[in-house]
Amino acid sequence: MTNASKRIFYFDALRAFAILCVVLLHVTGHLGEMMSYDIHTIYSFSGFYETFANNFFRIGVDLFLMLSGALLLGRDWDIKGFLSKRIPRIVKPFVFWSAVFTVLLVAASYFIPSVGFVKSFGIMGILRVFWNTLMCKAPGSAVYWFFWMMLGVYLTMPIFNKWIKHAELSELEYFLAIWVITTLFDYTLMIECPVKLSYFISPMGLVVLGYYLRYTERKVFNSRWISWILILLPSIAMLAYSYMVVGTSILFEFHRYSILVIIVAIGVFCLFKTSTALNSIPKSAKGIITSISICSYGMYLIHSQMIMVVRKILHLSFNFTIDYLILFLTGFVLSWIIIYILAKMPILDEFIGVK
């Protein structure tokens, strides 16, 4: 699938952790819908975990964006070469899996009418399902917003790359300082910033941040202890605030671009960057982590629909732990196995989402 010798392992470990966070967030969301938390059940163990997971695991998408900047910015490439290489790598798997899950939704609804994914089985009905899948409106396809966001990031990245190649890290800090202001207003305090700074609004701020964190030599971003502080303090603050407002908002969710979520993502990125423990991981474990990293985009594209189909067909209602385990095994382990196996087939490898 790729030449492992050219890979940076802490990036692979970060990408594997990012897709793990994404899957756990969506598993948590499905169980939240199934368990219908109220003011009483929110204080149970499952309610505590749901409250924590709904905020902490939002760093998954942030980490993906930061990795894009760390890997792609500041390099010598032209716009035509970049777009001709990067755009097909996200478009082909997106269209392929949208078609696959259109067939799956139609077939499941036809043979198991109780799931109710599709009401019409004519040609126009099937095409409508396919279009709705592409537009993130079909059952299980809401997570496909990630594709449209990444498409926008790739289209914008050549402009930023030209600037970053000639910029000092201190100039990046100027950009990031303004970007932090937008996240404080628009995504943390939920107040429109009085100064119009739309060019600095996420997700491009996270892309530039990833490049900056890779290369900065500032001690604050190169200390394992500070990394842990950046992870733990905002996580505790988010959990505490969620319970402070529990009377008015069950399972309060911070925005993925809120400053607290971003600080946690920075802490995780820097922790992986500075970790010496990664070097002592057994070779077999490194191989698994690298494989998950390579398969992560494909896993992202298929995990949500698989979770949804299993949930609907099995009518899960055992208990929190068993249901969580079933959905996690479906969304993470089974997704990885499927992409890993399909990647061995030369004809399919460019359509399934491996890199």
Side-chain angles (χ1 to χ4, degrees):
M1 290 183 287
T2 188
N3 188 343
S5 64
K6 297 181 180 180
R7 306 185 73 89
I8 300 173
F9 181 66
Y10 90 83
F11 286 159
D12 278 331
L14 270 171
R15 188 179 287 106
F17 185 71
I19 189 62
L20 175 64
C21 288
V22 167
V23 173
L24 289 176
L25 178 66
H26 293 153
V27 169
T28 302
H30 278 276
L31 287 181
E33 292 178 7
M34 293 161 58
M35 301 188 74
S36 301
Y37 288 99
D38 58 30
I39 192 65
H40 304 290
T41 56
I42 194 65
Y43 290 100
S44 65
F45 168 78
S46 62
F48 178 87
Y49 178 79
E50 287 269 342
T51 303
F52 166 79
N54 265 331
N55 292 309
F56 180 85
F57 293 132
R58 291 192 181 278
I59 67 172
V61 167
D62 291 14
L63 289 174
F64 278 128
L65 288 167
M66 292 160 72
L67 282 166
S68 295
L71 286 165
L72 299 177
L73 289 179
R75 297 171 59 179
D76 291 321
W77 41 258
D78 61 273
I79 294 179
K80 182 179 179 181
F82 176 80
L83 295 180
S84 63
K85 179 180 180 181
R86 292 291 163 181
I87 299 300
R89 288 178 65 174
I90 63 171
V91 171
K92 289 180 180 179
F94 173 63
V95 174
F96 174 80
W97 286 116
S98 294
V100 169
F101 282 108
T102 295
V103 174
L104 180 61
L105 291 176
V106 172
S109 300
Y110 184 82
F111 292 106
I112 311 174
S114 62
V115 301
F117 294 140
V118 179
K119 304 300 182 183
S120 174
F121 299 100
I123 295 297
M124 292 305 300
I126 295 172
L127 290 176
R128 189 176 300 111
V129 174
F130 179 61
W131 176 254
N132 286 339
T133 301
L134 294 175
M135 295 294 107
C136 318
K137 297 178 180 179
S141 67
V143 299
Y144 279 2
W145 69 269
F146 180 77
F147 162 78
W148 295 105
M149 178 198 66
M150 288 306 302
L151 181 60
V153 166
Y154 282 162
L155 292 174
T156 308
M157 196 173 285
I159 302 170
F160 280 81
N161 188 62
K162 194 73 172 180
W163 163 59
I164 284 175
K165 283 178 62 179
H166 302 284
E168 301 291 337
L169 288 180
S170 60
E171 294 172 317
L172 269 64
E173 291 173 345
Y174 169 77
F175 172 89
L176 292 171
I178 299 178
W179 170 67
V180 165
I181 293 173
T182 68
T183 64
L184 283 171
F185 275 91
D186 296 322
Y187 298 113
T188 307
L189 300 174
M190 299 301 177
I191 301 173
E192 183 179 358
C193 184
V195 181
K196 301 305 178 184
L197 298 170
S198 57
Y199 288 111
F200 294 90
I201 291 178
S202 298
M204 282 308 302
L206 285 162
V207 176
V208 176
L209 178 62
Y211 172 85
Y212 173 78
L213 291 177
R214 177 180 181 179
Y215 291 107
T216 183
E217 295 181 359
R218 290 192 179 276
K219 292 183 179 179
V220 67
F221 299 121
N222 288 280
S223 166
R224 291 194 300 277
W225 294 109
I226 295 178
S227 297
W228 277 113
I229 293 173
L230 295 176
I231 295 170
L232 294 175
L233 290 185
S235 298
I236 294 171
M238 288 190 291
L239 188 62
Y241 183 80
S242 297
Y243 273 97
M244 286 173 59
V245 299
V246 72
T248 57
S249 178
I250 302 299
L251 293 178
F252 179 85
E253 298 176 357
F254 282 83
H255 197 283
R256 68 177 51 83
Y257 300 146
S258 70
I259 193 64
L260 291 178
V261 176
I262 290 171
I263 292 174
V264 174
I266 291 172
V268 171
F269 189 103
C270 294
L271 182 64
F272 277 64
K273 173 186 173 181
T274 58
S275 176
T276 56
L278 289 177
N279 298 324
S280 59
I281 293 177
K283 187 175 181 179
S284 57
K286 282 187 175 182
I288 293 174
I289 292 171
T290 300
S291 175
I292 293 172
S293 172
I294 293 170
C295 298
S296 60
Y297 181 52
M299 292 171 64
Y300 189 101
L301 292 175
I302 72 173
H303 78 279
S304 181
Q305 288 92 337
M306 292 176 58
I307 290 173
M308 180 197 62
V309 170
V310 168
R311 169 187 165 186
K312 291 287 187 178
I313 292 177
L314 296 184
H315 301 288
L316 296 180
S317 59
F318 300 104
N319 60 52
F320 178 83
T321 303
I322 294 177
D323 289 350
Y324 200 98
L325 181 61
I326 291 173
L327 294 183
F328 171 74
L329 291 175
T330 301
F332 190 80
V333 179
L334 185 58
S335 294
W336 170 47
I337 292 173
I338 289 173
I339 300 298
Y340 178 80
I341 292 175
L342 292 178
K344 301 294 185 180
M345 305 176 185
I347 297 177
L348 289 178
D349 60 350
E350 65 179 297
F351 294 97
I352 60 173
V354 293
K355 56 182 179 180

